[in-house]
Amino acid sequence: MREFERENAAYNVLKKVLYEGAYSSVELDRVLSLTDEVNRGAVTALVYGVLDKNVALDYVIGKLAAKGKVKNNIAVILKMGLYEIIFGNTPQYAATDRYVRFARERVNGAQGFVNAILRAAKTAVFPCGDDAASLSVRFSRPEWAIKRMINDFGVEKTVENLSGAFDGRTHIRRNSRTVSVEEFDKEIEHSDEKHNYSATSKGYYVTRNTLKNLNPTHFTAQSLSSIYAAEAYAEGLSGKIRILDLCAAPGGKSVYLSELLPEADITACDIHEHRVRLIEAYASRMKSRIKALKNDATVKRNDWYETFDLVVCDVPCTGSGLICSSPDILLGKKDSDVFALAELQYNILSVAADYVKPGGRLAYSTCSLFTAEDERVTEKFLQSDSRFEAYGNAIRFFPNEGLDGFYILRMKRK
């Protein structure tokens, strides 16, 4: 085992995610497959820890680095070391010694600079105000996103959401087609002798090790918010109805709808061919008969006019509702992206409206906390299309409730 296997693995993931636009889950899975099993947990914790505190770590580096901008490869090493010193349990002297030696291996000539910054780490003072800039550093989230949240919900609710505590394990639900409740409960118990799992109203939170030991056709990873959203779409529906999920990839909600409404004819779409393949693979593993189809949700299709009993628009969004469970979700995004996405969301909803039968339903949802992507979009749509009206109140989940942030509005064609 190499001395710096843990640090090298985490460094490789973080450099790709922070500065090359890679997805943390994809890069981490790739690196973990090449990492000694003893180090996998530590690598995962370090990667997600640094990503979770990235804004705060940038703030500290900015305060301590007198010459200003730090090269990306050195910044990654500093963030790893600073995270362990400030937010972890590693003594400052131990972390400094280790990361100076690691810097000598990865970026020869940077060890003196790394040594100086890490030795000064404890002198950094975080702001304590309730303004957007201070909250951005304190909770390590982008300032532009904090400003939006304060504008939408006020300071108190924003602080509550940013303080949301999330379970670091994976939430899974049972595949009702392939395994009974009793059999699945036993399988969970036998797959995790240390009992590092816990039951929820819809499934279990489990560790990565437990996932490996389960029959892949017996379960799927799906967040509680996603499960509740699909149940909201399906509420009050039954029989041989036709459902269209316009932005379905990777297919979780469509597959669950097929379990909730087993007689329904479900078409699940995405604009990209490779994501259509993801839906097909997901459905195949879950023994679901949904149809996957490549389709641009912004382009109207005459052959679908007034064809479906339910059309689901789970539209592309910033993903700001995932800020606690997916720490890199807003990485690289900016405030102007919200306006561009809101326009796209409205266009998708407007196209989808023509696919709904008279008396049928139209469901709109996002995993965003921003009202510009949620209420503002549905309000604009309902004002512009008199054929539809909302039924029931809008459904919102917030991170401080232990769930991913989510917005759902169900509408009915008159």
Side-chain angles (χ1 to χ4, degrees):
M1 185 189 302
R2 291 177 57 193
E3 180 186 6
F4 294 112
E5 182 175 25
R6 182 192 70 135
E7 288 80 8
N8 273 306
Y11 174 93
N12 290 335
V13 174
L14 290 167
K15 191 167 183 291
K16 286 274 189 181
V17 174
L18 291 173
Y19 300 111
E20 298 176 29
Y23 291 105
S24 59
S25 57
V26 174
E27 282 303 309
L28 187 59
D29 284 345
R30 181 185 64 80
V31 167
L32 289 181
S33 68
L34 306 172
T35 303
D36 189 286
E37 189 169 353
V38 174
N39 284 313
R40 288 174 189 166
V43 171
T44 301
L46 182 55
V47 167
Y48 282 126
V50 171
L51 292 176
D52 186 47
K53 300 299 182 183
N54 183 57
V55 173
L57 294 170
D58 275 332
Y59 175 85
V60 172
I61 292 172
K63 290 293 184 182
L64 300 180
K67 294 183 179 180
K69 186 170 176 59
V70 177
K71 291 181 179 179
N72 294 347
N73 53 355
I74 301 174
V76 174
I77 296 173
L78 287 175
K79 288 180 180 184
M80 291 163 64
L82 288 168
Y83 172 77
E84 294 204 30
I85 292 169
I86 299 172
F87 302 104
N89 298 316
T90 307
Q92 184 171 12
Y93 72 88
T96 301
D97 175 71
R98 186 163 187 82
Y99 281 98
V100 167
R101 289 189 293 116
F102 179 61
R104 183 180 295 114
E105 180 176 292
R106 292 301 304 235
V107 192
N108 192 32
Q111 52 266 37
F113 178 67
V114 170
N115 180 60
I117 297 295
L118 297 185
R119 283 183 178 276
K122 292 292 181 72
T123 66
V125 178
F126 292 122
C128 57
D130 283 339
D131 58 289
S134 298
L135 292 177
S136 173
V137 175
R138 199 160 88 216
F139 290 101
S140 198
R141 299 293 180 256
E143 185 175 345
W144 67 264
I146 305 295
K147 287 180 179 178
R148 277 199 170 273
M149 292 171 65
I150 291 174
N151 184 63
D152 289 344
F153 305 110
V155 171
E156 184 177 352
K157 186 65 176 178
T158 297
V159 170
E160 286 180 4
N161 283 326
L162 294 171
S163 303
F166 272 78
D167 197 305
R169 297 167 295 177
T170 301
H171 187 268
I172 63 172
R173 68 168 182 84
R174 176 181 64 94
N175 184 356
S176 61
R177 286 194 176 89
T178 59
V179 63
S180 69
V181 173
E182 295 77 14
E183 289 171 331
F184 191 58
D185 289 346
K186 289 179 181 177
E187 187 176 354
I188 291 286
E189 186 175 355
H190 292 154
S191 298
D192 188 351
E193 295 178 354
K194 296 181 179 179
H195 292 274
N196 291 321
Y197 61 86
S198 58
T200 71
S201 60
K202 301 297 176 182
Y204 287 94
Y205 280 111
V206 299
T207 64
R208 284 173 175 261
N209 288 334
T210 302
L211 287 175
K212 297 176 192 173
N213 296 325
L214 296 174
N215 183 325
T217 67
H218 286 179
F219 77 96
T220 188
Q222 189 167 11
S223 74
L224 281 167
S225 294
S226 175
I227 292 171
Y228 292 146
E231 291 178 345
Y233 306 153
E235 185 178 350
L237 298 176
S238 62
K240 297 180 179 180
I241 59 174
R242 293 193 68 188
I243 298 174
L244 174 65
D245 189 347
L246 274 174
C247 310
K253 297 183 186 69
S254 292
V255 166
Y256 190 38
L257 281 171
S258 74
E259 292 181 48
L260 296 170
L261 302 166
E263 295 183 86
D265 180 318
I266 300 175
T267 301
C269 306
D270 195 89
I271 191 172
H272 300 293
E273 188 67 39
H274 72 280
R275 290 175 64 81
V276 175
R277 302 284 84 81
L278 285 178
I279 299 172
E280 290 176 339
Y282 193 126
S284 176
R285 178 172 64 83
M286 297 293 286
K287 312 300 180 186
S288 173
R289 294 176 181 171
I290 65 172
K291 297 189 292 286
L293 186 69
K294 182 180 177 181
N295 176 69
D296 185 342
T298 64
V299 178
K300 194 164 293 186
R301 292 178 54 140
N302 293 329
D303 57 323
W304 283 353
Y305 184 72
E306 296 187 347
T307 298
F308 297 94
D309 300 277
L310 168 65
V311 177
V312 175
C313 299
D314 187 42
V315 294
C317 69
T318 57
S320 55
L322 312 179
I323 55 173
C324 293
S325 60
S326 300
D328 61 328
I329 194 69
L330 295 179
L331 194 65
K333 292 187 174 76
K334 52 190 182 298
D335 192 59
S336 59
D337 294 334
V338 178
F339 297 104
L341 283 164
E343 183 176 354
L344 172 65
Q345 292 154 357
Y346 176 77
N347 289 341
I348 291 173
L349 195 53
S350 298
V351 169
D354 278 349
Y355 302 154
V356 183
K357 290 179 179 179
R361 297 185 183 183
L362 178 61
Y364 177 88
S365 61
T366 76
C367 54
S368 174
L369 290 174
F370 303 143
T371 59
E373 298 183 86
D374 300 335
E375 287 91 344
R376 301 293 85 81
V377 173
T378 53
E379 287 169 0
K380 180 181 177 182
F381 169 75
L382 289 172
Q383 289 169 2
S384 66
D385 196 327
S386 60
R387 294 175 298 174
F388 287 86
E389 60 186 1
Y391 73 93
N393 295 324
I395 300 170
R396 262 203 180 276
F397 304 132
F398 290 100
N400 64 297
E401 298 167 344
L403 298 166
D404 286 324
F406 227 88
Y407 171 84
I408 305 159
L409 184 70
R410 295 167 295 181
M411 295 164 277
K412 186 173 183 177
R413 183 166 175 183
K414 300 172 187 177

